[in-house]
Amino acid sequence: MAEASVLLFLLYFGQGLPYGFQVKLLPLLLRKQSFSLSRVGFSRLLSLPWIFKFTVAPFVDNFWSLDLWILFGSMAMAILCFTSAIVGFGNIIFLLICVFLMNLTSAVQDVAVDTFAISLLKPSDLGIGSTLQVVGYKIGALFGGGVLAWLSVFFSWWWLFCLWGSFYILLFILVVINFKQSPQHVKRDKMQYCNHSANIDDPVPSENSKRTEGTNSENKKDSHKNQGTAPSISKTSHLNVTQILKNILQTSDFHWLVCCVFTYKLGEQGVVSMLPLFLMDQGVPHDQVGALSGILGQTSSIVGSALGGWIVGAHYGQRTWVLKVLLWTSYARLLPLSLIWLYSSVPLSNLWLSSLLECSLQLSGGIITTATFTLMMLSSQNSSPGTKASHSALLATVEVLGKLFMISSSGFLVDIVGYPCFFGFCLFLALLFIPVLRNGKIFFKQKVSMKVG
């Protein structure tokens, strides 16, 4: 389990690298070259492949093994990094194409990695799993944004892209070694999509499958849980996208969770994406802004995510407890959002105050992210057999869609209404998330009372 946890962390770290480069560093470089705020904002559309993760999830569920998907993804990322080293910033259009292809590769690989994590972890380990996922991704974003910005002062981008690509080569080797030693993590048994009672050894069975599976399969599951490893699963069934979608939509908490993951980051993402550009427009040097948003802010977000994993795990990832954590942290997040809105109305460029506000916002946002991803993992584990990759990918797609919608339109909105009005609008969006959480608490309380009755 320890070796698998390290591998999960490194895989998510590798997926965070292109995100940090695109979201944290690339906008500053484009703004430095006199790109308009609208064009800088639209550069976030390079993340569009993450929205279409669900379209490839059925193929991950049905074709090849998880190790092949992960290995091909790592090798493709290495090739793209070395290609970017050759191109450099001399041809900005071609470099943007490479960043787009990095996002496409990472999105496809993420489906396989998420499926591997969901199959491996027990329900009581989901707090740890979501922490590995979120913290690993954010530390990767920290390196892809802040650390690369700092290293670019001392080294050329040719060396930095080569260093970036070398990491994926190393990751490729580690994946090969791990899966050769523990092949049970990535093999699959035959599965049927016709109903919930498919005869499958699922490490974390849904409520319906628990009622229908026999004693022998339950004993097998218990043995897998005790060993902390995922069962053997092979992909030999035929693709049935319609049945997969039907089974996902029948999950009891799915519709509410879609609304939750779409709205939970709208206001925060708008502020986080535009605050660095606001400081640059106030005369703060871009290297200081990069250190603030790319290192200090991201470090606070990582600390918040780790803290969120510990808080969520205190009650073994129970839904009602996770919702309480989300609700109270969402209230706390309103304070830095309100102060940033007021601060933007004053013609000052106090870097220390900006750092404090950004770090406070990122800290609370990190806790919220880990708690939300725990809810997503719980929902995916309770989905019917053979749909876990698609279920997880669809929720992740909605989550990315909400964030991408906000950060891609933020520059356009600032050009129209200005920074103060935009930050006030973001505060309003964060307030709207509170009723969504309250409805979720009511829904799960009614569900628990129905089971008891």
Side-chain angles (χ1 to χ4, degrees):
M1 181 64 186
E3 293 180 357
S5 297
V6 173
L7 181 61
L8 280 176
F9 175 84
L10 291 176
L11 287 169
Y12 286 120
F13 176 90
Q15 292 170 15
L17 286 171
Y19 174 82
F21 176 78
Q22 179 201 331
V23 175
K24 298 295 182 181
L25 182 56
L26 188 59
L28 299 180
L29 297 174
L30 294 178
R31 186 63 172 168
K32 187 180 179 182
Q33 297 183 21
S34 301
F35 278 65
S36 68
L37 289 175
S38 298
R39 294 178 67 183
V40 172
F42 289 142
S43 70
R44 271 62 180 262
L45 293 176
L46 296 172
S47 298
L48 275 175
W50 287 89
I51 295 179
F52 300 101
K53 275 176 55 176
F54 176 73
T55 60
V56 302
F59 295 94
V60 176
D61 269 325
N62 287 268
F63 300 107
W64 299 350
S65 58
L66 295 179
D67 56 341
L68 286 179
W69 285 104
I70 295 173
L71 287 171
F72 286 157
S74 299
M75 183 55 65
M77 287 296 296
I79 294 173
L80 288 170
C81 287
F82 291 130
T83 303
S84 300
I86 298 173
V87 175
F89 284 93
N91 189 334
I92 192 67
I93 300 299
F94 198 86
L95 180 62
L96 293 178
I97 293 175
C98 288
V99 174
F100 175 83
L101 293 176
M102 287 182 186
N103 281 312
L104 177 62
T105 304
S106 294
V108 174
Q109 187 186 46
D110 185 62
V111 178
V113 177
D114 285 347
T115 308
F116 171 58
I118 291 169
S119 300
L120 175 68
L121 299 172
K122 297 180 290 185
S124 58
D125 293 330
L126 288 183
I128 299 174
S130 58
T131 301
L132 290 172
Q133 180 181 22
V134 176
V135 173
Y137 190 87
K138 288 184 176 181
I139 293 180
L142 170 64
F143 274 77
V147 175
L148 279 182
W150 175 69
L151 289 176
S152 64
V153 179
F154 307 100
F155 302 97
S156 68
W157 280 105
W158 186 89
W159 283 105
L160 294 179
F161 278 121
C162 287
L163 179 65
W164 191 352
S166 299
F167 166 78
Y168 291 111
I169 296 294
L170 176 62
L171 185 60
F172 179 91
I173 297 173
L174 292 176
V175 171
V176 171
I177 295 174
N178 183 82
F179 286 152
K180 279 188 175 181
Q181 292 177 348
S182 306
Q184 68 270 21
H185 293 323
V186 291
K187 295 180 181 178
R188 305 190 174 194
D189 293 328
K190 294 182 179 180
M191 56 180 66
Q192 299 292 332
Y193 292 100
C194 56
N195 53 50
H196 285 242
S197 60
N199 191 12
I200 178 174
D201 291 337
D202 196 324
V204 186
S206 64
E207 294 177 2
N208 291 331
S209 63
K210 283 181 180 178
R211 299 190 188 99
T212 56
E213 290 176 347
T215 305
N216 291 335
S217 62
E218 288 181 356
N219 292 335
K220 291 180 182 179
K221 291 172 200 161
D222 291 337
S223 64
H224 285 301
K225 288 181 179 180
N226 293 332
Q227 295 170 4
T229 58
S232 299
I233 308 174
S234 68
K235 302 179 183 177
T236 56
S237 59
H238 295 290
L239 185 65
N240 191 341
V241 178
T242 303
Q243 190 63 40
I244 290 175
L245 280 172
K246 181 179 178 181
N247 290 341
I248 291 174
L249 294 175
Q250 288 176 347
T251 307
S252 60
D253 61 345
F254 182 77
H255 297 89
W256 170 82
L257 196 52
V258 164
C259 181
C260 176
V261 301
F262 182 82
T263 58
Y264 87 113
K265 281 283 187 178
L266 288 179
E268 178 189 331
Q269 281 295 310
V271 172
V272 169
S273 64
M274 295 311 298
L275 185 59
L277 300 179
F278 167 74
L279 294 174
M280 284 189 64
D281 290 346
Q282 294 295 315
V284 180
H286 81 280
D287 56 338
Q288 295 183 20
V289 175
L292 166 63
S293 62
I295 297 180
L296 291 179
Q298 198 66 24
T299 301
S300 300
S301 180
I302 292 167
V303 172
S305 297
L307 180 61
W310 177 76
I311 296 173
V312 168
H315 287 255
Y316 303 101
Q318 294 179 2
R319 279 185 174 87
T320 53
W321 171 248
V322 175
L323 283 171
K324 287 181 181 179
V325 174
L326 270 174
L327 184 60
W328 287 108
T329 312
S330 297
Y331 280 127
R333 183 175 60 176
L334 296 176
L335 178 59
L337 286 172
S338 301
L339 293 176
I340 290 173
W341 171 45
L342 295 174
Y343 171 69
S344 64
S345 303
V346 181
L348 296 174
S349 57
N350 190 315
L351 188 61
W352 291 108
L353 178 59
S354 302
S355 302
L356 178 62
L357 294 177
E358 165 119 7
C359 291
S360 300
L361 179 60
Q362 295 276 25
L363 181 69
S364 58
I367 298 174
I368 291 172
T369 300
T370 301
T372 304
F373 272 70
T374 302
L375 287 178
M376 292 166 61
M377 281 190 170
L378 284 168
S379 180
S380 297
Q381 283 197 338
N382 288 330
S383 61
S384 59
T387 65
K388 296 185 186 300
S390 300
H391 191 282
S392 175
L394 185 53
L395 287 175
T397 296
V398 175
E399 194 261 352
V400 172
L401 181 61
K403 293 192 294 188
L404 181 59
F405 168 76
M406 196 63 206
I407 64 177
S408 61
S409 60
S410 57
F412 175 73
L413 292 175
V414 171
D415 278 338
I416 295 176
V417 302
Y419 285 109
C421 291
F422 174 75
F423 289 147
F425 175 65
C426 291
L427 174 61
F428 174 73
L429 291 177
L431 279 168
L432 289 181
F433 180 58
I434 304 297
V436 175
L437 289 177
R438 289 191 172 278
N439 288 334
K441 287 187 67 178
I442 295 172
F443 169 77
F444 286 112
K445 282 182 178 179
Q446 291 176 346
K447 187 176 179 182
V448 170
S449 62
M450 289 176 61
K451 285 183 178 181
V452 172

